[in-house]
Amino acid sequence: MGVDLGTTYSCVGVLKNGTVQILCNDQGFRTTPSTVTFVRDLSITGDASVLSITGDASVALQKPAANTVFDAKRLMGLKFKDVAPSDLKRWPFRVEPDVFGKARIMVSLEDEEKAFSPEQISSMVLTKMRKTARAYVCSPITNAVLTVPAYFNGSQRQATKDAGGMAGLNVLRIIDEPVAAAIAYGLDKRGGAGKNILVYDLGGGTLDVALLTIEDRKFEVKATAGDRHLGGEDFDDRIVEFCMRDFRRKNPEKNITDAVALRRLRTQCERAKRTLSSSVQATIEIASFYEGIDYSCSLSRACFEELCMDYFCKSIGLVESCLRDAGMDKENVHDVVLVGGSTYIPKVKGNDPRVLQRQGAQQLHQP
């Protein structure tokens, strides 16, 4: 199997009958949240983990914020001193150094705390991906190919491989995500040596831009750029802030501090963002949002784009930086590959004829 182990979402595919099939999980989704929730001696991974802290699932959690771990990929292979202070303030769980100075995650379980390495958390996500693949092929899965960002150093790549080993996988190869995206679109088989490909990967938590060149069906990464804190979650934050201001305007005496209420709001804001990719208007509705008060508001695509305009402009600056580092003009780019769920946003996708749409990827896969 092949796994894109993402910061916020992961997906899995298998090679069957000469073609790659991207699989749906047990909830029917092609992407699975890279989130793990601990309840006593159990660990809940993926969609069930997210649902359990939004009030939409029947799982009774103790201290759900402290029990739920996400963004483990940001800690893979890092020393504690290298972890971004902004992340340490944002996460509901604690991160502290182990005896070797590496970052470890502290999870509160009833009256005790347990320590997990980022690799252990990622291995739980990979185990979930493995179960999805096994259910599809109806046979054991042992071999895997994993993808990592192009900027990952040797320690981070080894940590990813270690996570695969903990999940019982034989990791055959670690592939740079931009290269994996180009291969997925079959660009190495389309001919034209010396073609330049810009891969724009805007996911849930990070933006990665890479410029590749094809020579003899081999990819060479010419330059990379990106922001490890720019992605779909940041767009969600802007919508949440918009809704919080709107709620306080309508209910000036209320100050929302409840973590579950905020999580429910965030979930609805994310759904509204997805709706705006195909519609010009979305409605956010939450029954008994806070202290029995219902909340609803409308969000237009134009309003959403205005809320996030600085992020869109920043991403363009990173593309320009990547081109400068490669010593190349945008006219020399033959294809643009969009990767990541956030590239469904119309403002991001644009209408450049060089942009390869996802619908075309499946056609390129055909033998």
Side-chain angles (χ1 to χ4, degrees):
M1 70 177 186
V3 180
D4 173 17
L5 182 61
T7 305
T8 54
Y9 287 90
S10 298
C11 68
V12 59
V14 296
L15 183 66
K16 187 173 182 180
N17 299 327
T19 60
V20 174
Q21 301 290 332
I22 304 301
L23 309 181
C24 293
N25 60 22
D26 52 2
Q27 300 296 314
F29 302 123
R30 301 179 95 189
T31 57
T32 299
S34 303
T35 305
V36 180
T37 296
F38 295 90
V39 185
R40 299 182 182 87
D41 296 330
L42 299 176
S43 62
I44 306 169
T45 307
D47 295 284
S49 171
V50 174
L51 288 173
S52 67
I53 57 175
T54 61
D56 298 328
S58 59
V59 180
L61 298 179
Q62 312 242 349
K63 300 180 181 178
N67 285 5
T68 300
V69 179
F70 52 92
D71 282 2
K73 184 176 178 178
R74 296 191 189 276
L75 298 169
M76 298 277 280
L78 293 185
K79 296 284 189 179
F80 176 76
K81 62 183 179 64
D82 297 324
V83 180
S86 59
D87 284 337
L88 295 175
K89 294 179 181 179
R90 180 172 61 89
W91 290 325
F93 50 87
R94 288 196 304 111
V95 178
E96 61 181 38
D98 63 12
V99 293
F100 302 104
K102 294 183 178 180
R104 65 175 180 174
I105 297 165
M106 306 302 297
V107 176
S108 298
L109 292 173
E110 297 180 346
D111 296 328
E112 64 175 330
E113 282 192 323
K114 289 189 176 181
F116 295 89
S117 68
E119 293 82 3
Q120 286 177 298
I121 300 298
S122 293
S123 73
M124 296 175 188
V125 177
L126 288 172
T127 298
K128 175 74 173 179
M129 300 291 98
R130 185 183 184 184
K131 290 180 179 178
T132 298
R134 179 170 183 168
Y136 178 78
V137 300
C138 299
S139 64
I141 298 287
T142 55
N143 296 323
V145 174
L146 307 180
T147 64
V148 296
Y151 62 79
F152 258 29
N153 59 30
S155 177
Q156 292 170 303
R157 292 168 188 266
Q158 183 59 50
T160 304
K161 193 170 184 178
D162 292 343
M166 293 178 187
L169 296 170
N170 174 32
V171 181
L172 299 176
R173 191 172 178 183
I174 299 289
I175 300 180
D176 287 346
E177 290 170 358
V179 174
I183 293 173
Y185 278 83
L187 298 180
D188 56 330
K189 301 177 182 178
R190 296 178 66 182
K195 290 189 68 173
N196 301 314
I197 304 162
L198 181 75
V199 180
Y200 180 96
D201 184 353
L202 184 60
T206 61
L207 168 63
D208 298 311
V209 183
L211 191 65
L212 314 177
T213 298
I214 302 178
E215 291 288 351
D216 298 327
R217 297 188 65 176
K218 294 182 180 179
F219 293 96
E220 180 183 357
V221 180
K222 291 292 187 181
T224 63
D227 190 324
R228 301 185 190 185
H229 293 83
L230 174 56
E233 288 184 331
D234 299 286
F235 304 144
D236 297 341
D237 287 342
R238 289 292 171 85
I239 304 177
V240 170
E241 292 168 4
F242 170 81
C243 292
M244 291 286 285
R245 290 194 299 269
D246 183 58
F247 182 83
R248 284 194 293 266
R249 180 179 59 81
K250 297 174 180 176
N251 304 275
E253 74 284 359
K254 300 296 182 181
N255 184 28
I256 303 175
T257 57
D258 183 63
V260 173
L262 291 173
R263 185 68 197 184
R264 292 176 65 204
L265 174 61
R266 189 177 186 84
T267 299
Q268 293 302 318
C269 288
E270 181 183 4
R271 289 176 181 172
K273 178 191 67 178
R274 292 172 183 259
T275 299
L276 291 174
S277 293
S278 56
S279 175
V280 296
Q281 193 83 16
T283 301
I284 298 171
E285 292 182 319
I286 307 175
S288 189
F289 170 52
Y290 185 68
E291 294 184 354
I293 301 174
D294 297 338
Y295 176 71
S296 66
C297 74
S298 295
L299 181 68
S300 67
R301 181 184 293 177
C303 179
F304 168 69
E305 291 177 354
E306 182 179 351
L307 290 172
C308 303
M309 185 57 68
D310 58 326
Y311 289 139
F312 298 140
C313 293
K314 186 176 183 179
S315 74
I316 293 174
L318 291 169
V319 172
E320 293 172 343
S321 174
C322 184
L323 290 171
R324 283 195 304 270
D325 291 344
M328 195 175 299
D329 295 326
K330 61 182 180 181
E331 289 77 13
N332 301 123
V333 176
H334 300 97
D335 289 308
V336 179
V337 177
L338 299 182
V339 187
S342 296
T343 56
Y344 280 105
I345 297 172
K347 189 71 174 178
V348 173
K349 186 164 55 176
N351 55 6
D352 192 307
R354 291 172 294 180
V355 173
L356 298 182
Q357 304 295 329
R358 287 176 184 76
Q359 291 82 355
Q362 295 181 353
Q363 296 172 4
L364 290 171
H365 264 312
Q366 299 303 319

